[in-house]
Amino acid sequence: MSTPLILDLPAGEHEICLCGRSKQEPYCDGSHQGSRSTPRKVVLQAAARVAICTCRKTASAPYCDGSHE
Ligand code: FES
């Protein structure tokens, strides 16, 4: 069973990988080029702790919605 990745992100824009190819997961490194996947942009107005989905079953990508259970 996959569990979410808990990250403390600073304010600003972050691109989260949804394709599973990135070597810098959970961040997009451009490895999705040539696939149908694109990263999900997360914009935070303030620093926040977030739960990033790692099972790829979530309906709220890139955030965990508990679907891994
Ligand atoms: S490398 Fe996975 S979405 Fe960009």
Side-chain angles (χ1 to χ4, degrees):
M1 176 176 76
S2 296
T3 56
L5 178 63
I6 307 300
L7 294 176
D8 290 311
L9 295 178
E13 291 186 8
H14 308 278
E15 288 195 324
I16 304 298
C17 172
L18 295 184
C19 75
R21 295 179 179 181
S22 176
K23 292 179 175 54
Q24 298 176 2
E25 283 200 279
Y27 305 105
C28 172
D29 68 357
S31 297
H32 63 271
Q33 298 296 331
S35 74
R36 293 183 180 184
S37 293
T38 56
R40 183 65 50 93
K41 185 179 288 187
V42 172
V43 180
L44 297 176
Q45 300 302 316
R49 178 165 287 179
V50 298
I52 301 296
C53 173
T54 61
C55 75
R56 305 191 193 289
K57 295 178 183 173
T58 184
S60 302
Y63 301 110
C64 172
D65 69 357
S67 294
H68 60 276
E69 295 183 14

